[in-house]
Amino acid sequence: MAIPKEEITEIRNSVNIADFIGQFVALKKSGQGFQGLCPFHNEKSPSFNVTPSKGIFKCFGCGKGGSIFDFVMEYKKIGFQAAVKEVADFAGIHVQIDQADSFKANPNANLYEINNQASYIFENYLLITEQGNNARDYLKKRGVNEKIAKQFNLGLSADSPNFLYQGLSKKFEEDVLAKSGLFNFSNKQAYDVYQNRLMFTIHDQNGQVIGFSGRIWQENDERQGKYVNTTTTPIFEKSDVLYNLHRAKDTIKKTKEVYLMEGFMDVIAAYKSGINNAVAIMGTALTEKHIKTLARLASKIVLVTDGDKAGQAAIEKSLKVISNIDVQIVKIPDAQDPDEYARDHGALALENLLINFRMSKSEFLMDYLRPTNLNNVVNQLEFLQKMAEVIAGEKNTELQTVYMRRLVEILPDFEYNQVEQAVKNVIKSKRPNQKSFPINSSGQSHYSNQDSNSFSSSSFSNRYEESDFASYDAQEFSQSLLTRKITKSEKLEWQLLHRMLLQPDFLEKISQDVSVKFIHRETASLYDAMILEQLTQGMIDDIYFPESLDPELRNLYYDILAQNLPEVISENELDEILSALRRETILSKVEKLKLEGLKAQNEGNQKRELELANEIFQLRKSLQDN
C-alpha cells in the first residue's frame, strides 16, 4: 500500500533532518547548518552539509545530496516507501507498507531476514535445550548470565550437520540459502557452517543482523579455528564490521569517544563495568573503513588491547592507520585482556582502568619503541629519530616539550638541545612550500583563475557590482564550485534558479518574460521542468519534484538549492541578475561569432567575414548602450 502524499509531507515536516542524520553522522554546527564526514565516500576533511531550514543534505566532495528520504534510501539501500517508514518511525508516526514492497525496495531484504531467523534459532537453542544448558554454565563461569546473553543476542548452534538448514530450507529460495554464508554445499548436500559453537550475532550500524561469529566453547573440542566468521556476503564484510556499534553508537555520540577492543567478550565485560561505548573489530587488522565509521560519531578513539606482546604490537599497527582523530591507549596489566582483568579484579576495577589509566600515542610509543640496549649509541639515535617523528606530530607545543624532556631522561648520550633540534628538523621537513602559491592581501592566490573559480563582483556587469548581493564570494556561494570550472553565466543561471525555487513569484515573473534565455543545456532543462511542474501541479513540491527528474538534473537541483546565498533578497536583485545574465548571453554570442569569423578568414570568404564583424560590432555596442 502506497503512503499518501499528504502523509509523506507530514512525516517530512515532523522531523528535523539534522536530528535524523545525526544518528549516523557526527554533525557539528557550521553557519546556518551542520557539517560532518560524508558517509558515502572516504574523506578526511568534512564536506558533508545538512541544512535544516531547507530540509536537505549535500556533500560537496562526492556530489550526493537530497531530502531526508534520499539520505535513508542511499544510506540503507532501500526504496522510497521503506525510507518514508524509517523516518516515520523516528518521528513516532505509524505507517504501514506491504511486506512485498519492502522486499522489492531492498534487494538484500531476504538475506537480512534469513540471518534474523538464524539468530532466533541460535538464541533459543542456547536458552531451552539440554546442550544449551551446558553452554549457559560455560557462560556463567565467564561471568555472563542469562540476562546479558539475551541483551547481546548470544546463541548456540546445534551439534548436528544440518539442523539449521532443515529449519530454514523450506522458508527461503535456494539462491538465498547459498548467498547467506550459513551453509556449505558439497555433493548436492547442504551442511551448516556452524556446528556446536557459541554464537555471537553480528549487526550492522542500524541493528540489522548481517552475520555471525561462532566460538569453540568445550575444552575437548580440537577443531581448527577458535572462531569461525560468516564468509563475505552481499551484506557482510568482516573487515568493515564493528561488533556492538548499533548498541554503542548513542553513547558514543554523547561522549564523543569510543573504546575500540579486540574481542567480543571484552566488549561484554566493558558493558558489565558500565562502559556502554565499546566496540570490537572482527579478528582483523584495523582498517581505514573502521576509522571512517568511528570518526563520524566520535572525536576520540581509546584503543584497548591485550597486555601481551601481540596486543601491544596490534596497537602500534593501529596507530599507523588512525589519523585526524584524537587517540588514547589503555594497556591491560599482566598480559591480560579486558575480560580476564574484569574476572580477576572485578567490574569496578576494569571501569577505573579504562577511564583513569589512559596514555597518549607519544607515551605509548616511547615505551613500546624503547630499545632494550640503551648503552648502544646507534640504538639511541634510531630511537631518537623515531620519537622525533612522533613528537613532531603532537599539536600541543607544551606536550612536545614534556615528551622531549622525558626522552632526554631516557637517552644517556643526548642533551635536550639535540632532541629539540631533531624534532624541529622533522617539523621543518613536513612544512609545505609556502612559495608555491603566493597570497595577496585579500587572501587570494595570485595564480588563481578568477573567471572560473571565484564568485566576486567581477562576475557581474558594473551596475550589478554595486549591489550588496554581488559582493558574496566563492566560499559563500558554494563549495561545489571548487569541484569543476564554473563559468560566469552558469553562476548567474544557478542564482536565478535558486531564487525561483524559493520564491514562486520570481518563477512566475520569469516565465512571462520571453527575453530570458538560458545559455547552458542543464540549467535550461531544469528551468523547463520547473515551469512544467508549476503549470501542471500549481507548485514545485520539494519532495516529489526532484523525484521526477533524471539523475543529472536531480543532482543539479540539489546543487543549486544547497547554495549558501543570503536569505534576505534585495529589492532589485532579480533585475540585477537578469541584466548580468543578458550581458553574459551577448558575450557568449560574441565568442561564437569570433570563431565563425576565423573560419571565414581561413576559407578566404571576405564577405562573410565582414558580415560577422558587423554583427560583433552591433552586439558590443548594445553592451555599451546598456
Side-chain angles (χ1 to χ4, degrees):
M1 180 184 298
I3 305 171
K5 180 178 178 180
E6 296 77 13
E7 194 171 348
I8 292 174
T9 302
E10 178 191 352
I11 292 166
R12 193 276 312 273
N13 293 338
S14 299
V15 177
N16 182 307
I17 188 172
D19 291 341
F20 184 87
I21 293 179
Q23 299 177 97
F24 314 102
V25 180
L27 297 174
K28 292 184 178 180
K29 194 78 172 72
S30 177
Q32 296 299 314
F34 297 84
Q35 199 172 61
L37 293 174
C38 180
F40 305 124
H41 80 289
N42 290 317
E43 64 176 6
K44 295 182 178 179
S45 299
S47 60
F48 180 83
N49 291 263
V50 180
T51 311
S53 62
K54 298 176 182 177
I56 65 170
F57 74 93
K58 180 67 187 177
C59 177
F60 296 113
C62 67
K64 285 186 171 63
S67 68
I68 190 171
F69 303 124
D70 295 308
F71 177 87
V72 181
M73 288 189 288
E74 181 67 28
Y75 191 85
K76 294 197 172 184
K77 305 302 180 186
I78 57 178
F80 181 73
Q81 296 286 319
V84 173
K85 188 177 187 310
E86 289 274 349
V87 179
D89 290 343
F90 180 82
I93 299 173
H94 177 71
V95 297
Q96 188 170 355
I97 60 175
D98 289 342
Q99 191 68 12
D101 289 339
S102 178
F103 279 100
K104 288 177 184 177
N106 187 345
N108 294 319
N110 281 313
L111 288 177
Y112 289 118
E113 183 59 25
I114 193 172
N115 277 282
N116 269 319
Q117 293 199 26
S119 178
Y120 179 79
I121 292 172
F122 292 145
E123 289 178 52
N124 278 279
Y125 200 85
L126 173 66
L127 296 173
I128 64 177
T129 66
E130 184 176 345
Q131 184 186 4
N133 186 55
N134 296 329
R136 292 198 303 275
D137 288 340
Y138 165 80
L139 286 172
K140 287 176 184 177
K141 292 177 182 177
R142 298 289 301 266
V144 178
N145 59 30
E146 188 172 314
K147 180 181 177 181
I148 294 176
K150 288 180 179 179
Q151 285 178 317
F152 281 85
N153 305 108
L154 300 185
L156 182 69
S157 53
D159 190 6
S160 166
N162 57 8
F163 179 84
L164 186 66
Y165 183 79
Q166 290 176 1
L168 297 177
S169 59
K170 295 178 181 179
K171 299 179 181 180
F172 295 92
E173 299 292 335
E174 200 68 29
D175 66 321
V176 178
L177 296 167
K179 289 179 182 178
S180 69
L182 294 168
F183 311 104
N184 291 322
F185 296 87
S186 177
N187 298 323
K188 298 183 179 180
Q189 294 290 321
Y191 302 93
D192 295 351
V193 168
Y194 301 106
Q195 300 176 30
N196 192 26
R197 286 181 179 267
L198 186 64
M199 302 301 295
F200 293 86
T201 303
I202 311 301
H203 303 77
D204 64 13
Q205 187 173 339
N206 304 312
Q208 300 216 59
V209 180
I210 56 174
F212 301 90
S213 185
R215 186 192 193 281
I216 289 174
W217 62 280
Q218 292 177 310
E219 293 182 3
N220 59 354
D221 195 331
E222 298 179 351
R223 286 178 294 175
Q224 292 286 328
K226 182 178 179 181
Y227 282 91
V228 172
N229 295 319
T230 297
T231 57
T232 300
T233 72
I235 62 173
F236 179 84
E237 169 55 63
K238 70 176 183 178
S239 62
D240 295 344
V241 174
L242 288 163
Y243 176 72
N244 197 49
L245 183 59
H246 69 296
R247 297 186 192 91
K249 65 180 181 182
D250 288 341
T251 305
I252 293 171
K253 285 189 292 185
K254 288 178 183 177
T255 61
K256 298 300 180 185
E257 65 179 30
V258 56
Y259 291 92
L260 184 58
M261 300 181 168
E262 285 189 304
F264 307 141
M265 293 301 294
D266 297 332
V267 169
I268 294 174
Y271 173 81
K272 289 164 53 187
S273 301
I275 303 293
N276 298 326
N277 51 331
V279 301
I281 53 179
M282 292 283 299
T284 65
L286 187 66
T287 66
E288 289 187 1
K289 183 79 176 284
H290 291 139
I291 300 303
K292 178 190 171 187
T293 299
L294 295 176
R296 294 195 202 106
L297 303 171
S299 56
K300 179 187 293 180
I301 294 176
V302 183
L303 291 175
V304 186
T305 58
D306 302 356
D308 57 14
K309 290 184 178 179
Q312 302 309 290
I315 288 181
E316 194 221 359
K317 289 181 180 178
S318 296
L319 289 172
K320 293 177 181 178
V321 179
I322 300 173
S323 62
N324 293 319
I325 184 171
D326 191 16
V327 60
Q328 293 179 323
I329 297 99
V330 174
K331 289 174 64 175
I332 307 297
D334 304 322
Q336 291 186 311
D337 61 33
D339 179 44
E340 292 169 334
Y341 186 85
R343 279 185 278 140
D344 285 351
H345 302 278
L348 290 177
L350 178 61
E351 180 187 24
N352 181 52
L353 182 71
L354 295 177
I355 294 175
N356 298 317
F357 289 86
R358 303 177 184 179
M359 62 179 68
S360 69
K361 174 182 177 179
S362 296
E363 289 175 304
F364 170 80
L365 290 175
M366 197 172 295
D367 181 56
Y368 180 78
L369 298 175
R370 181 174 178 169
T372 53
N373 182 8
L374 273 172
N375 294 322
N376 187 312
V377 177
V378 175
N379 288 349
Q380 291 184 57
L381 183 59
E382 289 179 355
F383 180 47
L384 171 59
Q385 290 172 337
K386 289 178 181 178
M387 286 309 304
E389 288 276 347
V390 175
I391 296 171
E394 284 285 351
K395 297 178 182 179
N396 189 313
T397 54
E398 292 181 1
L399 281 178
Q400 285 183 348
T401 301
V402 170
Y403 295 137
M404 286 190 289
R405 293 191 185 282
R406 191 172 299 176
L407 193 55
V408 172
E409 294 174 1
I410 296 173
L411 298 171
D413 297 310
F414 287 86
E415 301 294 332
Y416 179 83
N417 62 333
Q418 293 172 301
V419 172
E420 183 181 38
Q421 188 59 49
V423 173
K424 285 182 177 179
N425 289 341
V426 173
I427 295 173
K428 185 178 180 181
S429 69
K430 293 184 177 182
R431 187 173 296 155
N433 184 0
Q434 296 179 348
K435 294 183 180 180
S436 300
F437 300 99
I439 304 297
N440 61 27
S441 59
S442 65
Q444 182 182 14
S445 166
H446 291 298
Y447 302 116
S448 65
N449 185 334
Q450 188 178 11
D451 283 347
S452 61
N453 289 323
S454 68
F455 180 70
S456 62
S457 57
S458 62
S459 300
F460 302 88
S461 64
N462 292 332
R463 185 159 65 86
Y464 196 79
E465 285 180 338
E466 296 171 359
S467 74
D468 292 335
F469 177 70
S471 66
Y472 281 75
D473 64 10
Q475 288 185 338
E476 296 202 7
F477 181 69
S478 171
Q479 295 180 45
S480 63
L481 301 186
L482 303 177
T483 61
R484 66 182 179 92
K485 290 185 177 181
I486 306 292
T487 64
K488 295 178 185 178
S489 54
E490 277 183 296
K491 294 172 190 175
L492 290 165
E493 290 176 353
W494 280 32
Q495 294 166 53
L496 185 58
L497 290 174
H498 180 278
R499 288 330 200 184
M500 286 191 287
L501 284 168
L502 299 182
Q503 297 288 336
D505 54 330
F506 274 21
L507 178 60
E508 183 178 353
K509 182 176 181 179
I510 297 300
S511 66
Q512 296 172 2
D513 188 346
V514 294
S515 68
V516 177
K517 304 290 183 184
F518 285 80
I519 300 172
H520 303 279
R521 177 185 60 81
E522 296 87 354
T523 46
S525 297
L526 181 57
Y527 172 69
D528 289 343
M530 290 165 58
I531 294 295
L532 181 62
E533 184 78 2
Q534 182 74 20
L535 289 173
T536 57
Q537 304 298 324
M539 62 176 293
I540 296 179
D541 189 294
D542 57 1
I543 296 177
Y544 291 96
F545 174 63
E547 292 297 323
S548 69
L549 302 173
D550 62 45
E552 181 183 5
L553 286 186
R554 190 165 171 275
N555 194 49
L556 178 62
Y557 169 87
Y558 283 114
D559 270 341
I560 290 171
L561 200 60
Q563 303 316 301
N564 188 19
L565 297 174
E567 292 185 9
V568 178
I569 301 175
S570 64
E571 183 179 351
N572 300 319
E573 181 177 325
L574 181 59
D575 292 335
E576 291 172 341
I577 294 175
L578 291 175
S579 176
L581 184 57
R582 291 188 183 102
R583 177 182 176 85
E584 291 303 319
T585 303
I586 292 173
L587 291 174
S588 178
K589 290 180 180 178
V590 168
E591 292 303 313
K592 289 180 181 179
L593 292 175
K594 282 182 179 179
L595 291 175
E596 286 189 47
L598 288 173
K599 182 181 178 182
Q601 186 182 50
N602 292 334
E603 294 174 350
N605 189 341
Q606 293 184 353
K607 181 180 178 181
R608 181 57 181 158
E609 190 177 351
L610 287 172
E611 290 174 351
L612 292 168
N614 184 58
E615 288 184 47
I616 291 172
F617 174 78
Q618 294 300 328
L619 287 172
R620 284 178 170 168
K621 188 174 183 298
S622 69
L623 287 176
Q624 294 174 354
D625 293 340
N626 292 328

